[in-house]
Amino acid sequence: MRGGKNPNYGYTNFDSFGWGFLSALRIMTHDFWWNLAELTVRATAIQTIIYFAMVLFPASFYLLSLFMGMVAMATAERSEASAAEAKRREEDFAEILQALKKCEVEETELSDKNDSAPQRKNSANKQEHTALEEDHRSCLPWCSSFADRFPEVKCCGCWQWLKQRLYTFVMDPFFELGIAICLIVNVLFLSMEHYPMVVEFYGVLSHAELVFIFIYTLEMILKLVAMGLCGYFQMNWNVFECTIVFGSLMVLGVADVSGFSIIRSLRLLRVIRLAKWWPTFNLLLRIVRNSMGALRNLTLFLVLMVFFFSVAGMHLFGQSYIKCACKIAVDCELPRWHMADLFHSFLVVFRILCGNWIELLWDCMEVSGQATCLIFYITVLVIGKLLILGLFMGLLLSNLAAPEEDKEGVGKNKIKIALNRIKKALTHVKPNNTDGTGPDGTGPDAVTSEGDDKKEYLALTSVTTAQPVSKKVEEKKGDTVQDRNTPEDCCCDMCHQCCSFLETNTSRGIWRIWSNFRKCCLSIVEHRFFQLFIILIIQLSCFTLMAEDINLESRQILKVILKYADLVFTIVFVVEMILKMLGYGLKRYFTKNWCWLEFFVVNVSLISVTINMLELSNVLPFRGWKTLRSLRMLSFFRGTKVVLNALLCVLPSLFDVLLVGLTVWLFFGVVGVNLFAGKFYYCFNETSEEYILHEDVNNKTECFFLIEANYTEMRWKNLPLNFDHVPAAFLSLLNLATGDWYDIMYAAVDARLVEDQPVYESNANMYLFLVIFLISCFFFLNLFIRVLIDTINQLRRKFGGKNIFLTEGQNIIYKTKKKQLKQTPIPSPRPQNKCRAGVYSLVTSWYFEVFMVVVICINVLVLASETYSDSFEKEVVLYWMHFIILIIFLIESILKIVAFGRDFFRDCLNTWDFGLILLSIPFIFIPDLLGRYLPNIYTALSMIRLVRVFRVLRLHPKAAGIRSLLWALEMSFPALFNIGILLFIIMFTYAAVGMSAFPYVKKGAMINDLVNFETFPNSIMTMFMITTITGWDGLLYPLMSTPPDCDWYIENPGTAIRGDCSNTYFGIFFLTSYIIICFLLLLSVFFVIILEIFDMFAEEDEEPLSDDDLQMFYDTWKRFDPDASQCIQYSNLSEFCDALKDPLRIPKPNTIKLIHMDLPLLPGDKIHYLDILLALRAQVFGDSGQVDDLKANMEKKFKAENTSEVPYEPISSTLRRKKEEVAAAAIQRVYRKWRLASRDGTEGLSGQMNGGSKQTEMEPANNGQMRT
């Protein structure tokens, strides 16, 4: 960004720490970050996109997740404290009630003695009056008052007979089913409204609306007659139905009155009636209802904070906007976003709370100064967004548990009963099964509504099980053991029943040759080298997809190479498919999901090759089919397979929630059609690219009059995202929900009547439509997250508590690291040497740590003080400060190496510090050389230097909580890596599809010479920019272009493909599917994983070794100790420790490590199992001191095999034995030297050894016996 003036009034840059911090905050809040990324790439290189990836994913999502986790944990602790306090009060209240009852009993006994007959009669009358009052109290208050004024009249028998018959009719399940069907059909009719709509179709919809109103009114009357007034209004759903009916009747009276379209939209509230029979929808409403009491105070506080900041902003910046409007507007008029009045100030604060603040901050700093605006906006962003909305989200997450069952709704779901009756009737009608029973003797009667009603919270109970799935799989494998080299039946059972000739004897004749051939095919496809070869071919195929860009037509040699490579890849994939079909058999092949994926990709490749051979490659939809080959990478990465399997298990539970969300969006979509259909059109001058004022062109007729008068530059255009019909409304609502709502909101508040030219903020009340919809989306997002967390917890319990996003190996490593982090670290021992002991005391003292913290803080300040416009004198000062700080860090490392010795490098943080110091040395001695000839390495090392700041967290004792958060990040790396690989594969696939389908799209909006689908780097960068689901409307507009905005027949230079238009429907599907996959599945799971990790750290685990680890140790021990003697030979120790599995395994070479474990030796050079287990436990997890439960558990296992007591009398240890062997070897060397010297006639040495020759000769012999 060093060329010319910085963009956005000069406020967008990285020239200093302050502006760089503002830009980083902008990226982390996902506010217009794609524009900053594009500017940065233009100014530097495309490699800088890595910086944005690092800030977006590891930083932004991780911090947001931890923030949510801390809020949720704090809320849970507060809820537990409140529950404890409530329980204590309840116990006190129960004691008081018990005392009062005791007093009442005593008073009753005294009164019974003095009671007379008249008093007993009065008491009976009082009881009867009390019963009547309770009956009236069961009704609504106003209904009870009405019943008191008009006492019940004894009706004739005919009326009572009619009421009974009507009550039976309206309470029948088929009556409820009919009403539900009417509601669904009514919603479909409401969704048919569109613009433009012919008069006849409008008449059909009007008559249908009258029919539905008549049905609902008749239903209300029948229920009133059958149930009575009090009985009818005792049910909340009946009250709601009555309100909707009267509202619909009122709408009929104002149907032809203009300006009452919002009242007509109230009829859409009928959709809520579906919650009476839809458990998930009913759950959502009950959650909202049960949460309103807890959210009332918080919502009031939020409103007060918004009002406070709105008033403060109006007083601080209102006059500045009025006086300095020319600085931010060409026409010197106030922009849409300003703080000149309270209403617009409120809108600005609301936009900041939604996360779109950077553009408003630029305008504010331009008109009112930098300091005040920065303080105000950052304060609103932190307090409003991070604190208030964070607490709001935490409260929702803590309260979105499954509440008590609704007695009126799900508990009495009669629609399921009606459907079961229909199913039973259809089963009886079947000729093959006239008795209505299934093959197991059970009929439809066995499926009752009671069993279905138990599924209260979505479909989560369907994944619960009393036994972990891993144990079931092991049992199943134990029952059905089959040779892997033996192929299964080629065809299914049904094929064998239909075609008897398939029954063959594979042990003789030609069928034996066929069986051996299938075995050969199976051994080939399951061979490791064959799988590696296929992976290599898939990767090469992906590389060829990257080369097929817009410049391929000008590279004929490359085009020919890619053509033949495509043919070779297709042949390889076809051969692989045939081998798998022969080896696995058709039955097994087509029952594997991954084989179905391979089958689909191979067929797509065959179609692509056929099209190329027929020279139909200019057909764009078919050219993109072969890009789906990259999906095969999913089946060869275990991490992605695990993540995909987990997502497939989660999707069924989320489907019902998403369906509820679509229903709510249908409500807002139909309201949007009623409010804005045909009102987003405008007259536009394409030559000057200006909007025509309504004073010049008032409506569509005047615009077409100008066009007919040879003003060809005029056009009557429509906004690409509009509310002309329900599908378009869904797309617009998706755009609103993802944060890119400016164009739609501006069109909504400027809209007047149908086919009228918009006027600036002529309908400002429509801001409320946006606010209400965003609030509903926020609430639904919390519901979605909660359901996702609950579903993952259910799956974890189903799979035995394992992390469902990790492979088996990753789960073992994760489990080991988690236990290691929970153990108290063992401090390094104090050296025996006096000099080293003094250094040890220095580096472990509190004053030394404080000094190093001060040095690190100074280093941070020095790094932050560097700017783009530094003078030469300042650069010299900073250079020497860096040199002094580096020398201090180097001296610190040397002192710690002297004090701790080898233990210094056992700590990863110490190793990291030492590595940073070594990497910092080139900056001091050759900074110019690195900056001139290796700019990328220079920049990378500059970024690595900043990591030294995290040393404060290790040195400062108050940073233990932050260190725990960093440990949580470290623990989540494997799962995040798996999801990151899956995200990259999806991004790669969509980039290849986009490069094949939209290479020649006309540039406009977000698509330009850098952000496009012409080459693979640009395409992958384009898909990365919309991964956070913001800014995707800038890509959608060009993909939705139709003539005359684009031309289907324009020539593209260098290619025979014509046109710069694209398939509108495919473009919509392309972008919407990508953002839904990224957000709803991947990015949501991204922070859910970290929340789960955070919850795991909050749990206490006393014993680091689980039952599975102990069982693994016991199973391995039995191989070396088949007699269960509880001891093994010392010579087998190395092999035994290598045979163990993680986390206890010590791989070879392990002799030195086992010796230093100093294991006790029993007579016969044997080692006890408990000594080995405790030593391995201390080696991996540290010494926690709690081994009683561990000993009891292992003794129980061994006594089950051998009840005899084993004597435990150690005579030596492994370390002592090693010392004895070393001493014996030294004695032998001396003895050999003496013998050699005596043979040569050396008298001096012989005389010196005479005195101790006998002892010296005996020791090697004893040593030989000992070794034997």
Side-chain angles (χ1 to χ4, degrees):
M1 297 184 183
R2 300 186 180 182
K5 184 180 179 182
N6 289 321
N8 303 319
Y9 309 114
Y11 301 134
T12 300
N13 59 77
F14 291 91
D15 295 345
S16 63
F17 174 78
W19 296 118
F21 178 81
L22 186 65
S23 299
L25 183 63
R26 170 185 172 183
I27 299 171
M28 296 177 67
T29 55
H30 303 169
D31 183 19
F32 206 36
W33 72 270
W34 62 92
N35 178 262
L36 178 61
E38 182 181 348
L39 294 174
T40 308
V41 170
R42 288 183 183 277
T44 55
I46 196 172
Q47 290 82 1
T48 54
I49 204 70
I50 300 176
Y51 165 78
F52 291 88
M54 294 176 59
V55 177
L56 277 174
F57 293 100
S60 174
F61 285 99
Y62 176 70
L63 293 178
L64 177 62
S65 303
L66 290 184
F67 179 78
M68 292 170 56
M70 288 186 291
V71 170
M73 291 181 62
T75 305
E77 293 177 358
R78 186 177 57 189
S79 300
E80 291 177 0
S82 302
E85 181 66 19
K87 185 177 181 180
R88 186 186 62 80
R89 292 180 180 178
E90 185 178 353
E91 292 176 353
D92 295 342
F93 183 70
E95 293 179 358
I96 295 173
L97 284 180
Q98 189 175 2
L100 291 176
K101 287 182 180 180
K102 186 176 180 180
C103 295
E104 288 180 359
V105 170
E106 294 177 355
E107 291 178 359
T108 303
E109 292 177 354
L110 293 175
S111 63
D112 288 341
K113 296 179 180 179
N114 301 325
D115 232 359
S116 59
Q119 290 176 345
R120 293 176 182 174
K121 185 176 180 179
N122 292 335
S123 177
N125 292 334
K126 289 181 180 179
Q127 292 178 0
E128 182 179 357
H129 183 69
T130 303
L132 291 174
E133 288 181 354
E134 290 179 356
D135 292 338
H136 286 299
R137 198 179 297 116
S138 62
C139 300
L140 295 176
W142 63 271
C143 185
S144 177
S145 177
F146 183 83
D148 290 337
R149 294 185 182 180
F150 300 94
E152 186 178 356
V153 180
K154 294 183 179 181
C155 302
C156 61
C158 296
W159 180 257
Q160 294 294 336
W161 177 85
L162 179 63
K163 289 185 63 176
Q164 292 177 1
R165 296 296 183 271
L166 289 179
Y167 185 83
T168 305
F169 176 70
V170 299
M171 292 299 163
D172 191 87
F174 284 101
F175 181 81
E176 298 283 342
L177 180 60
I179 296 299
I181 293 175
C182 288
L183 283 171
I184 295 174
V185 175
N186 188 11
V187 171
L188 293 178
F189 271 90
L190 292 175
S191 304
M192 292 180 183
E193 295 186 6
H194 61 276
Y195 172 85
M197 187 164 51
V198 297
V199 179
E200 292 79 6
F201 190 75
Y202 180 78
V204 171
L205 295 182
S206 301
H207 287 87
E209 181 65 21
L210 293 176
V211 172
F212 289 121
I213 292 176
F214 172 76
I215 293 174
Y216 301 141
T217 306
L218 181 62
E219 176 201 7
M220 181 187 68
I221 295 174
L222 291 177
K223 286 187 176 181
L224 279 172
V225 174
M227 304 173 65
L229 190 63
C230 289
Y232 180 81
F233 287 105
Q234 282 180 4
M235 300 179 65
N236 296 329
W237 282 114
N238 291 338
V239 177
F240 180 76
E241 293 168 7
C242 180
T243 306
I244 296 299
V245 169
F246 279 105
S248 301
L249 295 175
M250 183 182 66
V251 168
L252 293 178
V254 296
D256 298 330
V257 181
S258 61
F260 285 88
S261 58
I262 187 65
I263 298 179
R264 292 178 62 247
S265 302
L266 295 177
R267 58 184 176 169
L268 296 170
L269 294 175
R270 299 171 189 165
V271 179
I272 301 178
R273 287 193 61 187
L274 293 175
K276 183 178 180 180
W277 308 285
W278 192 350
T280 308
F281 202 177
N282 190 282
L283 173 67
L284 178 61
L285 295 181
R286 285 186 283 119
I287 286 173
V288 176
R289 182 190 64 191
N290 295 338
S291 300
M292 288 307 296
L295 295 177
R296 182 170 55 248
N297 297 331
L298 186 58
T299 306
L300 179 61
F301 180 67
L302 177 61
V303 172
L304 290 177
M305 292 297 294
V306 171
F307 177 78
F308 169 77
F309 283 119
S310 301
V311 174
M314 182 181 64
H315 286 284
L316 286 173
F317 313 114
Q319 293 299 321
S320 300
Y321 275 100
I322 296 175
K323 296 178 180 179
C324 305
C326 295
K327 293 183 178 181
I328 56 177
V330 179
D331 54 358
C332 295
E333 296 289 338
L334 284 175
R336 289 185 183 271
W337 302 97
H338 60 84
M339 294 186 177
D341 54 73
L342 182 61
F343 178 71
H344 285 86
S345 181
F346 164 77
L347 293 177
V348 168
V349 173
F350 180 79
R351 179 175 171 179
I352 296 174
L353 295 181
C354 292
N356 303 316
W357 55 277
I358 190 65
E359 295 176 279
L360 305 179
L361 178 61
W362 294 336
D363 292 343
C364 181
M365 289 191 296
E366 190 67 13
V367 300
S368 185
Q370 298 178 8
T372 308
C373 291
L374 281 171
I375 294 174
F376 177 81
Y377 275 78
I378 299 300
T379 304
V380 175
L381 184 66
V382 173
I383 296 179
K385 182 178 175 62
L386 298 182
L387 294 182
I388 300 177
L389 295 184
L391 291 174
F392 189 81
M393 181 177 294
L395 189 57
L396 285 178
L397 287 174
S398 62
N399 288 335
L400 286 180
E404 296 180 358
E405 191 69 32
D406 191 357
K407 297 181 180 180
E408 299 178 11
V410 183
K412 296 182 179 180
N413 199 336
K414 298 179 181 179
I415 290 185
K416 293 182 180 180
I417 301 175
L419 293 176
N420 288 332
R421 290 182 182 178
I422 295 174
K423 187 186 300 183
K424 180 179 178 180
L426 294 176
T427 308
H428 278 288
V429 170
K430 289 182 179 180
N432 294 333
N433 196 2
T434 57
D435 58 348
T437 60
D440 56 349
T442 60
D445 295 332
V447 184
T448 60
S449 61
E450 295 178 358
D452 295 331
D453 293 340
K454 292 180 180 179
K455 298 178 182 179
E456 177 185 1
Y457 192 58
L458 306 178
L460 298 183
T461 55
S462 62
V463 297
T464 59
T465 179
Q467 184 180 11
V469 117
S470 58
K471 296 183 179 179
K472 295 182 179 180
V473 173
E474 292 175 0
E475 294 175 1
K476 187 174 181 181
K477 289 182 179 179
D479 297 337
T480 59
V481 179
Q482 185 180 9
D483 188 5
R484 295 186 60 184
N485 295 327
T486 303
E488 298 181 2
D489 290 338
C490 188
C491 302
C492 60
D493 297 336
M494 185 178 296
C495 296
H496 285 284
Q497 294 176 2
C498 297
C499 305
S500 59
F501 63 87
L502 294 176
E503 296 289 343
T504 58
N505 187 4
T506 59
S507 61
R508 62 180 64 182
I510 191 173
W511 298 112
R512 181 177 181 181
I513 300 175
W514 171 251
S515 178
N516 293 332
F517 177 69
R518 289 190 59 199
K519 289 181 180 179
C520 180
C521 294
L522 181 62
S523 61
I524 290 175
V525 298
E526 290 187 349
H527 201 278
R528 180 183 177 186
F529 291 120
F530 180 81
Q531 295 177 356
L532 293 176
F533 173 73
I534 296 298
I535 293 175
L536 177 62
I537 294 298
I538 293 174
Q539 292 178 350
L540 292 177
S541 176
C542 293
F543 283 122
T544 59
L545 294 177
M546 297 169 56
E548 296 183 2
D549 54 14
I550 197 174
N551 303 316
L552 184 62
E553 294 295 333
S554 59
R555 304 169 182 171
Q556 292 299 321
I557 299 178
L558 180 61
K559 184 178 180 181
V560 173
I561 294 174
L562 294 180
K563 179 180 179 180
Y564 286 104
D566 189 16
L567 182 61
V568 172
F569 296 149
T570 303
I571 293 174
V572 172
F573 293 148
V574 171
V575 172
E576 178 203 10
M577 181 184 68
I578 294 174
L579 288 176
K580 286 187 176 180
M581 285 184 176
L582 294 174
Y584 293 146
L586 298 178
K587 177 182 176 181
R588 181 182 174 187
Y589 183 85
F590 287 106
T591 53
K592 285 187 173 183
N593 296 329
W594 299 110
C595 291
W596 271 106
L597 176 62
E598 295 173 3
F599 181 76
F600 172 74
V601 171
V602 169
N603 284 276
V604 165
S605 300
L606 289 174
I607 295 174
S608 177
V609 170
T610 304
I611 291 173
N612 290 333
M613 293 177 64
L614 296 177
E615 297 182 354
L616 297 175
S617 59
N618 58 341
V619 183
L620 283 178
F622 296 99
R623 290 178 65 247
W625 285 15
K626 62 181 179 181
T627 58
L628 299 178
R629 289 178 186 169
S630 57
L631 292 177
R632 289 210 56 190
M633 290 190 295
L634 298 174
S635 61
F636 287 97
F637 290 99
R638 293 184 178 180
T640 57
K641 292 175 69 173
V642 168
V643 174
L644 277 178
N645 291 332
L647 293 178
L648 291 177
C649 295
V650 169
L651 280 179
S653 299
L654 296 180
F655 178 77
D656 209 8
V657 181
L658 295 177
L659 197 59
V660 171
L662 291 178
T663 304
V664 176
W665 279 25
L666 178 63
F667 170 79
F668 284 99
V670 176
V671 171
V673 171
N674 292 329
L675 293 177
F676 309 118
K679 298 181 180 180
F680 284 5
Y681 285 85
Y682 57 94
C683 195
F684 184 72
N685 190 329
E686 291 188 333
T687 303
S688 61
E689 296 184 353
E690 294 179 351
Y691 290 91
I692 308 301
L693 299 178
H694 71 283
E695 291 88 355
D696 301 329
V697 176
N698 189 41
N699 50 39
K700 177 181 178 181
T701 305
E702 296 182 5
C703 186
F704 274 94
F705 179 78
L706 291 177
I707 296 174
E708 293 175 358
N710 292 327
Y711 289 92
T712 56
E713 68 275 9
M714 296 295 180
R715 275 194 60 197
W716 182 252
K717 297 181 64 175
N718 190 16
L719 196 69
L721 298 175
N722 52 66
F723 288 90
D724 288 348
H725 46 82
V726 172
F730 268 108
L731 187 61
S732 300
L733 292 176
L734 180 62
N735 184 258
L736 289 174
T738 53
D740 302 318
W741 32 267
Y742 306 113
D743 294 338
I744 298 177
M745 186 187 65
Y746 297 159
V749 298
D750 294 347
R752 295 191 296 167
L753 298 177
V754 177
E755 298 183 353
D756 276 4
Q757 183 73 2
V759 179
Y760 180 77
E761 289 192 350
S762 61
N763 196 9
N765 295 328
M766 290 301 104
Y767 282 117
L768 298 177
F769 175 80
L770 172 69
V771 172
I772 295 173
F773 176 73
L774 291 179
I775 292 175
S776 67
C777 291
F778 181 77
F779 186 82
F780 177 74
L781 177 62
N782 283 273
L783 173 65
F784 177 83
I785 294 172
R786 179 61 186 183
V787 172
L788 190 61
I789 292 174
D790 289 343
T791 310
I792 291 176
N793 286 333
Q794 294 285 347
L795 290 175
R796 285 181 55 201
R797 287 192 290 269
K798 177 182 177 181
F799 290 98
K802 296 180 180 179
N803 193 324
I804 62 174
F805 297 101
L806 297 177
T807 62
E808 287 292 334
Q810 289 174 338
N811 263 308
I812 295 174
I813 296 174
Y814 160 77
K815 190 176 178 181
T816 305
K817 285 187 176 181
K818 177 183 175 183
K819 293 174 181 178
Q820 289 175 346
L821 291 175
K822 287 188 176 183
Q823 297 296 324
T824 303
I826 302 175
S828 300
R830 185 181 182 87
Q832 299 297 327
N833 185 278
K834 292 184 179 181
C835 181
R836 291 184 60 194
V839 177
Y840 181 89
S841 301
L842 174 65
V843 298
T844 56
S845 65
W846 182 80
Y847 298 100
F848 184 82
E849 291 185 356
V850 172
F851 173 75
M852 293 309 305
V853 168
V854 172
V855 173
I856 292 173
C857 294
I858 294 174
N859 186 25
V860 172
L861 294 177
V862 171
L863 292 173
S865 62
E866 295 180 0
T867 62
Y868 166 63
S869 57
D870 286 341
S871 61
F872 177 77
E873 293 79 6
K874 183 178 179 181
E875 290 181 355
V876 172
V877 172
L878 294 178
Y879 172 81
W880 285 108
M881 293 186 69
H882 282 304
F883 181 80
I884 295 173
I885 292 173
L886 178 63
I887 294 300
I888 294 175
F889 287 146
L890 185 60
I891 294 174
E892 178 209 9
S893 298
I894 294 174
L895 291 177
K896 287 187 175 181
I897 292 174
V898 172
F900 300 142
R902 290 180 299 179
D903 293 340
F904 175 83
F905 295 100
R906 292 179 181 177
D907 191 350
C908 298
L909 294 178
N910 289 336
T911 306
W912 178 260
D913 290 342
F914 191 71
L916 288 179
I917 293 172
L918 296 180
L919 291 175
S920 300
I921 293 176
F923 286 95
I924 301 301
F925 296 101
I926 50 173
D928 297 333
L929 180 62
L930 288 176
R932 180 177 301 177
Y933 298 103
L934 300 173
N936 294 331
I937 299 179
Y938 185 87
T939 304
L941 292 178
S942 300
M943 295 174 61
I944 293 176
R945 282 193 303 169
L946 299 176
V947 185
R948 192 183 298 157
V949 178
F950 291 101
R951 292 191 57 199
V952 179
L953 306 179
R954 180 171 61 92
L955 296 177
H956 201 278
K958 299 295 184 181
I962 303 178
R963 289 199 300 269
S964 300
L965 301 183
L966 293 177
W967 287 340
L969 175 62
E970 180 184 356
M971 295 300 299
S972 64
F973 271 154
L976 297 183
F977 176 78
N978 294 340
I979 296 178
I981 292 294
L982 177 60
L983 179 61
F984 176 77
I985 293 175
I986 291 176
M987 191 185 306
F988 182 93
T989 304
Y990 272 87
V993 172
M995 190 172 59
S996 178
F998 313 112
Y1000 303 103
V1001 172
K1002 186 177 180 180
K1003 293 180 174 59
M1006 189 175 174
I1007 293 183
N1008 49 44
D1009 59 332
L1010 182 63
V1011 181
N1012 52 58
F1013 295 98
E1014 296 178 358
T1015 61
F1016 184 79
N1018 292 350
S1019 184
I1020 195 73
M1021 185 180 68
T1022 301
M1023 300 311 300
F1024 171 73
M1025 286 184 175
I1026 62 173
T1027 303
T1028 56
I1029 71 164
T1030 52
W1032 66 280
D1033 58 330
L1035 294 179
L1036 182 63
Y1037 289 163
L1039 299 186
M1040 293 179 63
S1041 298
T1042 56
D1045 293 329
C1046 61
D1047 189 357
W1048 284 104
Y1049 304 101
I1050 190 173
E1051 293 184 359
N1052 296 306
T1055 180
I1057 300 175
R1058 293 177 174 269
D1060 56 0
C1061 298
S1062 65
N1063 191 320
T1064 301
Y1065 298 105
F1066 181 73
I1068 294 173
F1069 171 78
F1070 175 78
L1071 290 179
T1072 54
S1073 61
Y1074 180 76
I1075 64 171
I1076 289 174
I1077 290 175
C1078 289
F1079 178 71
L1080 295 181
L1081 299 180
L1082 300 181
L1083 300 185
S1084 296
V1085 175
F1086 206 94
F1087 58 78
V1088 167
I1089 291 175
I1090 304 177
L1091 283 176
E1092 294 300 315
I1093 297 293
F1094 198 87
D1095 292 339
M1096 291 177 187
F1097 272 91
E1099 299 174 358
E1100 294 184 358
D1101 191 5
E1102 296 181 357
E1103 176 54 50
L1105 289 177
S1106 64
D1107 293 338
D1108 295 336
D1109 299 331
L1110 296 180
Q1111 185 64 35
M1112 179 270 299
F1113 180 88
Y1114 179 72
D1115 294 339
T1116 309
W1117 182 272
K1118 287 196 300 183
R1119 290 162 44 192
F1120 292 83
D1121 183 22
D1123 299 331
S1125 62
Q1126 304 181 12
C1127 298
I1128 62 173
Q1129 292 293 328
Y1130 173 54
S1131 58
N1132 297 331
L1133 178 62
S1134 176
E1135 186 177 355
F1136 170 76
C1137 293
D1138 182 66
L1140 292 171
K1141 297 180 180 179
D1142 290 331
L1144 298 178
R1145 179 173 180 263
I1146 301 179
K1148 291 183 178 180
N1150 54 13
T1151 306
I1152 297 177
K1153 184 175 293 186
L1154 294 177
I1155 290 173
H1156 284 84
M1157 290 167 63
D1158 199 15
L1159 298 174
L1161 287 176
L1162 302 181
D1165 284 351
K1166 294 183 178 181
I1167 305 179
H1168 198 264
Y1169 77 92
L1170 195 58
D1171 294 331
I1172 300 175
L1173 179 61
L1174 295 179
L1176 293 175
R1177 178 179 177 273
Q1179 180 73 21
V1180 179
F1181 304 115
D1183 188 10
S1184 61
Q1186 300 176 357
V1187 295
D1188 294 337
D1189 295 337
L1190 179 64
K1191 291 181 179 180
N1193 193 359
M1194 293 303 297
E1195 288 176 359
K1196 183 178 178 181
K1197 289 181 179 292
F1198 278 94
K1199 285 184 179 180
E1201 298 288 339
N1202 188 358
T1203 57
S1204 60
E1205 295 290 337
V1206 179
Y1208 184 77
E1209 298 177 357
I1211 59 174
S1212 182
S1213 66
T1214 56
L1215 185 60
R1216 182 179 177 184
R1217 174 63 56 85
K1218 183 63 178 177
K1219 292 180 179 179
E1220 291 175 353
E1221 292 177 355
V1222 171
I1227 293 173
Q1228 287 179 349
R1229 285 195 301 271
V1230 174
Y1231 179 74
R1232 291 192 187 98
K1233 290 181 180 179
W1234 176 80
R1235 293 293 300 269
L1236 291 174
S1238 63
R1239 289 178 183 177
D1240 295 338
T1242 307
E1243 298 296 336
L1245 181 60
S1246 175
Q1248 294 176 4
M1249 298 293 295
N1250 270 335
S1253 61
K1254 295 182 180 180
Q1255 182 180 359
T1256 307
E1257 291 175 1
M1258 292 175 61
E1259 286 177 356
N1262 294 335
N1263 183 55
Q1265 291 179 356
M1266 178 180 64
R1267 296 176 64 87
T1268 303

